[in-house]
Amino acid sequence: MEIPYKEILLLILTTLTTYLIWRVQYQKEKLKIIENQLSDKKYKMYSELIYIFFDIVLGAKLGQELTNEEILKRIIAIKKDMYLYAPDIVFRQFTEWLLNLNNHENMTHHFNDYYKLITLVRKDMGNTKTTISRDDFMLFYMQNREEYKKFKIENNWN
């Protein structure tokens, strides 16, 4: 009786190949799930970074300013997530922005830092070719061309 070595080898190789293909697909799906979870965490963190800035402005305009305690709690929550989820360049720019919030020599310097931070956030969230300028950002924020022109003159922004 002759043993069919070729058929047995072919069966083993087919089984092994099928297993390896399944394993690669499983790992890809698992990686995709992790990436989606990371993206969700980043989205929430970056959203809060935007919300806190606009909530401060809106509160001032409506006479319902956020307390320093509320702001501090929200910033600390962002910092915790920033440490875990943000790429290094965003992490460093966030730190720079926070450090310059307390710069009493030039109170408007933090706008530049925040603009840089938001630009990096947009790139990290998929807008890699963003071309939004500081002027675009400030006009979006201030919503008044004349007011922004005055602001630029007062703060020596060219």
Side-chain angles (χ1 to χ4, degrees), residues 15 24 29 33 35 56 81 98 110 112 116 135 158:
T15 304
V24 167
E29 288 175 23
I33 290 169
E35 286 173 352
I56 290 169
D81 288 342
L98 288 179
H110 73 91
N112 281 321
K116 290 175 188 173
D135 288 338
N158 298 325

Side-chain angles (χ1 to χ4, degrees), residues 30 32-42 85:
K30 195 173 180 181
K32 188 71 169 171
I33 290 169
I34 291 169
E35 286 173 352
N36 286 337
Q37 289 173 342
L38 179 61
S39 180
D40 288 345
K41 295 283 187 180
K42 279 185 175 184
Y85 303 116

Side-chain angles (χ1 to χ4, degrees), residues 3 9 16 25 29 55 75 80 86 122 127 145 153:
I3 299 176
L9 185 61
L16 184 61
Q25 282 299 107
E29 288 175 23
D55 287 351
I75 287 177
K80 288 190 286 187
R122 288 175 54 81
N127 296 305
R145 282 188 175 85
I153 292 168

Side-chain angles (χ1 to χ4, degrees), residues 48-49 51-60 63-80 94 97-98 101:
E48 181 59 19
L49 184 62
Y51 297 158
I52 192 170
F53 188 74
F54 282 95
D55 287 351
I56 290 169
V57 173
L58 181 63
Q64 300 171 344
E65 294 184 28
L66 294 175
T67 66
N68 286 341
E69 186 178 306
E70 289 172 313
I71 294 169
L72 182 61
K73 284 180 182 178
R74 288 174 70 177
I75 287 177
I76 288 173
I78 294 169
K79 285 174 78 171
K80 288 190 286 187
F94 178 76
W97 175 62
L98 288 179
L101 280 176

Side-chain angles (χ1 to χ4, degrees), residues 18-34:
T18 304
Y19 171 77
L20 290 175
I21 289 172
W22 171 82
R23 188 68 183 163
V24 167
Q25 282 299 107
Y26 175 77
Q27 290 298 83
K28 278 184 174 181
E29 288 175 23
K30 195 173 180 181
L31 186 60
K32 188 71 169 171
I33 290 169
I34 291 169

Side-chain angles (χ1 to χ4, degrees), residues 42 46 49-50 53-54 82 86-94 97 110-138 140:
K42 279 185 175 184
Y46 290 155
L49 184 62
I50 301 288
F53 188 74
F54 282 95
M82 186 73 63
D88 293 351
I89 192 166
V90 174
F91 178 88
R92 287 185 185 108
Q93 187 58 47
F94 178 76
W97 175 62
H110 73 91
F111 280 111
N112 281 321
D113 293 328
Y114 189 77
Y115 158 70
K116 290 175 188 173
L117 177 60
I118 294 306
T119 301
L120 293 172
V121 165
R122 288 175 54 81
K123 288 180 180 179
D124 188 38
M125 290 303 292
N127 296 305
T128 56
K129 297 180 182 179
T130 187
T131 60
I132 292 177
S133 68
R134 182 181 68 180
D135 288 338
D136 295 331
F137 170 75
M138 291 302 292
F140 180 80

